[in-house]
Every structure is written in structure tokens, then in C-alpha cells.
Amino acid sequence: MSSRWSSWYLIALKAAMGLLLILLVALFWVLFESEVEEQRTTLIADVLWLEQGINFHLEGNAEFLEQLSGELAQEKDSRSLFRQRAGYLLRNNPDVLQIMWLGPSGSVVDFEPAVKLPRLGVDGIGGERHALALEMSRKLGKPTYTDAYSTASGWQFEMYVPVFVDGKYDGSLVVVYSFNSLLKHLVPWWFAEKYQVRIVDEDGSVLASKMRAGSATTPINYAIPVDPPGYGIVLRVDAYRASGSFVEVLLTTLVIALAVAVLLSLWVMRRHIQRRLAAEQAYRAEYAFRKAMEDSLTVGMRARDRVGRITYVNPAFCHMVGFSEDELIGASPPMPFWAPEDQEKSRAINEAVISGHAPREGAEVRLMRKDGKRFDALVYEAPLIDADGLHTGWMASIVDVTERKRAEELARQQQEKLQFTSRLVTMGELASTLAHELNQPLAAITSYTAGCLNKIESGVFSPEELKAALEKLGVQAQRAGKIIRRVHDFVRKSEPKLAPCNLVEVIEDSIGLIESAARLAGVRIVREFPSVSGELMGDRVMLEQVLLNVMRNAIEAMGGVPSERRCLTLQLAQPDDQQVQIRVVDRGPGMPPEVLENLFTPFFTTKPHGMGMGLNICRSIIEFHRGRLWVEENPESGTVVVISLPVIQS
């Protein structure tokens, strides 16, 4: 019985609160409608007042001009009188842009202000609108208005006042009005604070407006025709959204807050239960979502406690190592998936993680699947924090990088083959010039040998003569051997090997390989080698390959320039203690911007039979040496290839 009474009591309270809310809403609606009606009545009265003010203003100006037209007919110095009265009207009426005095034929007699000229064009002086207004004012004998027209400075209209002398039409006075200036001049500040004022034509186009920036309007508005000028022009006024009274807002807020508080007191238990059920449902949904997300990952996930025991693994990790979840949960170091040959490394990484010194960049280890197969994995460890902010263990993500390492090794081998092929191609292209260069010392050796034999056979010789000839023969033999050694070192296939080397010697050896080709092309090679400190860690052959490729491109680029400009300059500079720069400067025609942008793109070439891989290989070699390669424009015409390399720090 008590439970039943409580139920009816709660229902009655709920019904009473519902009725109270309905009555409050009805009361607010009645008050709102009453306020809207009062605001609409005030708006209409204000609009009628403003429209009457505009009419009085325009009619007053019309009367002033009618009086002026009569005085112009009687005054001898009519121009002076026109300018005096026109100036007075302009000073006291900012909405008037210009006053014109037209003769009987419609030509301009005078106008003020003098700095402004009358409108021209189809609707200007002599146009259709002007002719119609003149005709109407002449026939009616009273002021007439034109319809609105648009100009660069806004919408305007005109008023025509006829001038009669002894009952005969003698011209017209024309006043040009600006709609914007009319509103600005005639709408008081208090009116603009309450309403948005606009003048619109019969098509709904806004001709002028005066409004408060950033204020929103209400549906309360009123429109009234503006006559003059007529032609369907309407004065439209919209009320701004007024801010409510502080007391009204406060009372309304307190009443609503009281009603809400009573409802909350009745529904608190129900809402509490609903929230708890919703939280449990959200937890289940979140758990299912996270479980599905973790199960869909291809990255292995593994959680461990503070001592290293596994507390969680996802399916991806189980698939990666071949062990089931039951076999892994609770396992402690050494783990069953640690490779025996890598046990020490795995144990050291595990101890570093447990002690809180997990490497931020991850650790690469070799792991073992259940079937004994090995694979390379990259392991990232992060602290595992619970809901209370306590460190409870470690969460690891494991990525199988075996295929990636295999691909990287294959790419490295392909790059080495490509570099070696590039060297062979370069040497093949230089073969003729090297053969010519080698032919000279061989011919000299043959000549000196024949001379010595002739001396010996004749029996007339001295040891000094043979000694001098044999010394020259030895010099030429050394020269030929040096050429062969350079070619052999350049084309031999070997693993990249970084070793201390002298950059000047590398450049000189490269020049020795290209010098004969430069001579045949008529190119002078200029060396600018100031003293540089420190040695360079690099592979001599690979660096020679870069320099040879760049110098050969420079020589080919200067093939079409005059012979006196064919100069290849090699500059060596050291901007700071950490790097050294090689600048290969040619005096060729240079490169257009679109070629410079794609210069290092694979397979992009400007040569008819080029492969487009030379500069790309060169940049890869320089980046292998932890350096940079880029191209600049030569201010004196041509191109500058800049190679920046790090030096050995002492």
C-alpha cells in the first residue's frame, strides 16, 4: 500500500511539474507575442515618421529650386546667382551630389560642384532617361523624378525642375541625389540603432542601406513606398533583435532552474541507474571495439608486467611467433621465441626495458618461430599506465622487418650494380680519348727504343746519350702506366669502402681521366684549390665517378659556345670546420627552370641518347657519404654543380 501511494504521489508530482512547465511556456509565449506586437506598432510609427521626413526633405528642395528657377528668369547675372544658390543647397544637403542648369535644348549651361562632370552614356545627358524627364517636367510644369540608376559610387536618382521665362520653357534645373547619402543624412542615429533601414526597388535590389554592423534582424519589418521619387521604390525597415531585460532573463532563468531542480530530484535515481547501465554498455562496446581493432592489426602487440611476465598478446603476435595465447601468457624471460644465437642481445634489451631505459628508436632483434624459423623484428616498448596513473608494466609493438631488410639489401646491391655499370659506360664513352692519350707515351717509348737500338748498332754512342734517352723512355712508361692504373682503379668492381682520403688527390685523378677529352673538346680546365684542413672519409672510386660524370656533363654543355669561353673551373672551398665544398663551374648556355626542377628525377635527360640516371646516381653516392649535391645558376652564364662533404673532425 505504501509503495502504491508513493507511486501515485510521484506521478502526481510529475504531472504537476509538467503542468507548471506548460503554463510557464504559455506565459512566456503570451508575453513574447505581446512584446512583438508592441514592437511592430512602434516600428510602423517610426517608419511613417521617417518616410514623412524624406518626403518633406525632397519637397523642400523642390520648392527651393522652383524659387531659384523664377529668380533665374529675372536676374541678369544668372550664372552668379545659380552658383550661389547651388552652393548653399550643396552645403546644407549632403545627399545632393550635383546641381545642373540645362538650357532649352538640353545642353549644360552650368553645374556645381565644378569638379564633377555630368553623367554621360545612354542614360546620361542626351539619353533616354534624361529626355523623358525633361519632357515630363516641361509638359507638367512641375518637378519630376527619374527612376534609380547605378553608378560606380552607388545608386542615384535625379529631380528635374523646369524654368519658364514669360510663360515660355527656358530650360531645367537638375539635382542628382545619392540614395546612400540620403539615408546617411536623414536617418538619425537612434533610428539606426533600433532598425536596419534599406531602400529597395521593385525587383528587390537594395539601392542603399544603413545598418548596425554585426547585428541580427528579427522577422518584424515594415515597408512603405517612397514617393517621390516613386517608380516602385520602397523604404524597408527591419527591427534588430533586442537584448532582453536583465531582470526578465534572471526571473526566467530562476523559474526554469527551479523546475529543473524539482524534476532532477524526482528522476535522480532513475538517471543514476540509466547512467550506470549506459556506462556498462559503453564499456562493453569499447572493449569489443578495442578487441576488434587489436585483432585486425598486422603489428604484433605484447604487454608485460613490471618483472617481465607476459600479460597480453594479440593474434598478430601469436601468428608472428607461432605460439598460442595460452602458451605465451605468463611466460617469463628467457622467452620461448628468443633465438638461441641472439639470447644475450635479447636479454640485454629486456633488462634495459625493465630498468626503464627502453630505446626510443626501438630495438632490432632476431626472433624464432615455434617451428624454428628465424625472422628479424623491430620492437618498440612504451610504459603501460593504468587508470590511476600507476606504471604497471610495458606495452610493446613488434614489426616483422625480414622482408623489408631483404628488399633494402636487394636495393643496395642493385644500386652498386648500377653505379658500376655507370662507370663502365662512362669509361666506354671516354675510351677513344684515353686511347689517344695512351698512344702518345707508347709512341714515344717506341721512338726512344728505336733510337737507342740505332745508336747501339752504329757503335757510335756515349753512355750519357743512352742514359738520357732511357730516362725519357722511363718517364713515358710511367705516364702510360699511370693512365692504365687510373682506368683499372676506376672500372674495377668492389664493395663501397670508406677510408681517409685526400680530396685534392681525388680531384686530380678525376681530371687525369677527363683531361684528354677536355683537350679534344677545346675546354680549358682551371684549378682553384686553396689550402683546406682535415681529411675526408670516402670511397675514392665512387667520388671519382661523381666528379667524372659532372665534369663530362659540363664539357658537353660547352660544346656550342665560342672556344674562348670554354673554361671548366674546379673550385675547392671550406665554409667551416665541418664540411668542404667542390664547385664545378662551366660557361655553357645554362639550364631553363623546368630542367633544373627535374634534373635529379630518374630517367629525366636532355641528351638524345641519355638514360637519365647519371645525376641521380651521383646524388645517391654523395648522400651515401653523408653529403649534399645541388645545382645553381652561374651568374656569368652556365651552371654550377656544388658538392658538399663532411670532413674528419680532429
Side-chain angles (χ1 to χ4, degrees):
M1 188 70 180
S2 175
S3 174
R4 189 184 232 178
W5 181 86
S6 299
S7 175
W8 280 106
Y9 177 73
L10 291 175
I11 292 175
L13 284 177
K14 294 176 183 178
M17 289 305 304
L19 181 60
L20 175 61
L21 288 176
I22 293 173
L23 292 176
L24 286 174
V25 171
L27 176 61
F28 291 152
W29 181 81
V30 171
L31 292 176
F32 175 76
E33 287 296 321
S34 175
E35 184 179 355
V36 168
E37 187 61 30
E38 182 180 355
Q39 189 176 6
R40 187 185 304 277
T41 303
T42 305
L43 170 66
I44 294 173
D46 291 340
V47 173
L48 292 174
W49 174 85
L50 179 61
E51 188 270 340
Q52 187 178 19
I54 294 174
N55 286 341
F56 284 162
H57 176 74
L58 295 178
E59 290 174 1
N61 288 346
E63 293 176 0
F64 179 84
L65 290 177
E66 287 179 336
Q67 181 180 359
L68 176 59
S69 67
E71 293 175 353
L72 290 176
Q74 300 174 2
E75 184 67 30
K76 293 181 179 180
D77 190 4
S78 55
R79 284 181 180 269
S80 176
L81 177 63
F82 170 77
R83 292 178 180 175
Q84 178 184 359
R85 296 298 180 86
Y88 172 81
L89 187 63
L90 288 168
R91 286 191 301 272
N92 292 280
N93 296 272
D95 52 308
V96 176
L97 300 180
Q98 192 170 43
I99 303 174
M100 292 180 289
W101 181 9
L102 306 181
S105 62
S107 60
V108 178
V109 177
D110 202 352
F111 57 91
E112 285 289 334
V115 294
K116 291 190 176 180
L117 296 178
R119 293 185 301 107
L120 299 176
V122 175
D123 293 328
I125 299 302
E128 181 180 346
R129 180 183 285 111
H130 170 74
L132 180 61
L134 281 176
E135 182 67 20
M136 289 183 63
S137 66
R138 184 179 65 81
K139 288 183 177 181
L140 297 176
K142 63 178 183 179
T144 59
Y145 294 84
T146 65
D147 57 344
Y149 60 88
S150 178
T151 66
S153 59
W155 288 85
Q156 301 174 1
F157 69 97
E158 297 170 358
M159 178 180 69
Y160 287 75
V161 179
V163 178
F164 291 94
V165 178
D166 297 331
K168 183 179 179 182
Y169 177 72
D170 194 47
S172 295
L173 295 176
V174 182
V175 179
V176 181
Y177 285 99
S178 167
F179 278 108
N180 278 324
S181 298
L182 189 68
L183 288 186
K184 183 178 180 181
H185 178 57
L186 296 181
V187 177
W189 67 268
W190 60 266
F191 199 96
E193 286 295 315
K194 293 173 59 177
Y195 309 112
Q196 179 190 72
V197 185
R198 291 179 293 172
I199 295 180
V200 298
D201 60 11
E202 56 186 358
D203 296 328
S205 300
V206 178
L207 308 183
S209 65
K210 187 172 183 180
M211 63 186 69
R212 191 172 61 193
S215 298
T217 59
T218 65
I220 304 173
N221 59 75
Y222 187 69
I224 187 172
V226 181
D227 191 10
Y231 296 99
I233 295 176
V234 175
L235 178 67
R236 179 184 175 90
V237 179
D238 295 79
Y240 288 129
R241 193 176 303 280
S243 57
S245 170
F246 174 75
V247 176
E248 294 178 359
V249 173
L250 180 60
L251 289 176
T252 303
T253 304
L254 290 176
V255 171
I256 294 176
L258 179 61
V260 171
V262 174
L263 286 175
L264 286 176
S265 65
L266 297 174
W267 289 78
V268 62
M269 291 304 297
R270 181 172 179 270
R271 288 175 60 88
H272 174 72
I273 295 173
Q274 287 179 339
R275 282 197 299 268
R276 183 170 181 175
L277 292 175
E280 292 176 356
Q281 180 63 26
Y283 172 77
R284 288 192 293 269
E286 183 71 15
Y287 176 79
F289 173 78
R290 290 183 178 274
K291 181 65 176 173
M293 181 176 65
E294 292 167 2
D295 291 348
S296 67
L297 288 176
T298 58
V299 176
M301 303 294 294
R302 179 198 64 194
R304 295 185 296 166
D305 59 18
R306 296 290 297 273
V307 297
R309 285 190 299 268
I310 296 178
T311 58
Y312 164 80
V313 288
N314 71 337
F317 183 73
C318 294
H319 176 74
M320 190 180 297
V321 298
F323 292 93
S324 66
E325 182 179 354
D326 294 335
E327 292 174 308
L328 293 175
I329 298 297
S332 299
M335 299 298 179
F337 46 81
W338 286 1
E341 66 275 12
D342 234 18
Q343 284 275 352
E344 293 302 323
K345 181 179 179 181
S346 299
R347 189 180 298 277
I349 295 174
N350 176 74
E351 292 176 355
V353 171
I354 297 300
S355 62
H357 298 91
R360 296 177 61 87
E361 67 280 3
E364 188 173 319
V365 294
R366 180 171 291 273
L367 301 179
M368 180 180 65
R369 295 187 173 92
K370 189 175 182 178
D371 58 4
K373 294 181 180 179
R374 270 62 169 175
F375 67 97
D376 295 313
L378 190 60
V379 182
Y380 296 93
E381 298 272 2
L384 188 60
I385 310 300
D386 66 6
D388 297 325
L390 298 177
H391 180 202
T392 60
W394 303 90
M395 174 63 75
S397 59
I398 300 96
V399 183
D400 188 345
V401 295
T402 307
E403 292 300 324
R404 190 186 74 182
K405 292 188 65 176
R406 186 179 293 116
E408 289 175 353
E409 178 62 22
L410 181 61
R412 186 189 64 79
Q413 295 175 1
Q414 293 294 335
Q415 183 71 12
E416 290 179 4
K417 292 179 181 179
L418 191 59
Q419 292 173 8
F420 178 68
T421 303
S422 176
R423 289 203 298 271
L424 292 179
V425 171
T426 301
M427 194 50 61
E429 294 175 349
L430 296 176
S432 60
T433 57
L434 288 172
H436 176 74
E437 185 75 8
L438 189 62
N439 188 53
Q440 292 180 358
L442 292 177
I445 291 171
T446 303
S447 176
Y448 288 131
T449 303
C452 290
L453 290 174
N454 290 336
K455 285 285 185 181
I456 294 172
E457 290 175 357
S458 66
V460 182
F461 64 91
S462 64
E464 288 76 13
E465 291 177 339
L466 288 180
K467 180 181 179 181
L470 290 174
E471 286 177 350
K472 293 180 180 179
L473 187 148
V475 170
Q476 296 300 322
Q478 290 178 359
R479 180 183 174 190
K482 190 175 182 180
I483 294 173
I484 294 173
R485 178 184 60 78
R486 284 175 176 169
V487 173
H488 177 266
D489 289 343
F490 187 75
V491 299
R492 67 187 175 91
K493 186 174 182 180
S494 62
E495 294 290 328
K497 186 183 299 181
L498 296 179
C501 58
N502 188 300
L503 193 55
V504 175
E505 295 177 0
V506 173
I507 298 175
E508 288 293 349
D509 286 347
S510 303
I511 294 175
L513 290 172
I514 200 71
E515 198 165 18
S516 57
R519 271 199 306 272
L520 290 177
V523 176
R524 293 181 295 110
I525 298 180
V526 178
R527 300 167 175 83
E528 296 181 2
F529 299 160
S531 60
V532 294
S533 62
E535 288 187 312
L536 179 73
M537 287 294 293
D539 186 295
R540 293 179 62 95
V541 175
M542 295 174 72
L543 293 176
E544 288 177 11
Q545 178 180 355
V546 173
L547 290 171
L548 196 61
N549 198 322
V550 172
M551 289 190 291
R552 184 164 54 86
N553 288 343
I555 292 171
E556 293 175 357
M558 292 186 286
V561 302
S563 58
E564 63 273 9
R565 289 182 52 195
R566 296 178 189 175
C567 177
L568 176 62
T569 305
L570 280 88
Q571 301 172 344
L572 192 59
Q574 192 167 3
D576 51 51
D577 296 336
Q578 297 182 351
Q579 62 177 340
V580 64
Q581 285 187 357
I582 309 169
R583 298 173 65 87
V584 182
V585 185
D586 67 61
R587 299 290 299 279
M591 300 181 187
E594 59 271 14
V595 174
L596 284 174
E597 291 178 1
N598 298 286
L599 201 57
F600 295 99
T601 303
F603 307 110
F604 176 81
T605 181
T606 57
K607 300 177 182 179
H609 304 290
M611 295 179 59
M613 292 298 293
L615 283 177
N616 189 49
I617 293 174
C618 290
R619 186 170 66 174
S620 299
I621 292 174
I622 297 301
E623 289 176 351
F624 170 75
H625 287 78
R626 295 182 293 111
R628 292 178 56 231
L629 185 148
W630 69 93
V631 179
E632 300 175 353
E633 292 185 5
N634 186 358
E636 300 178 1
S637 175
T639 306
V640 181
V641 178
V642 185
I643 302 170
S644 178
L645 294 166
V647 297
I648 301 175
Q649 299 296 316
S650 58

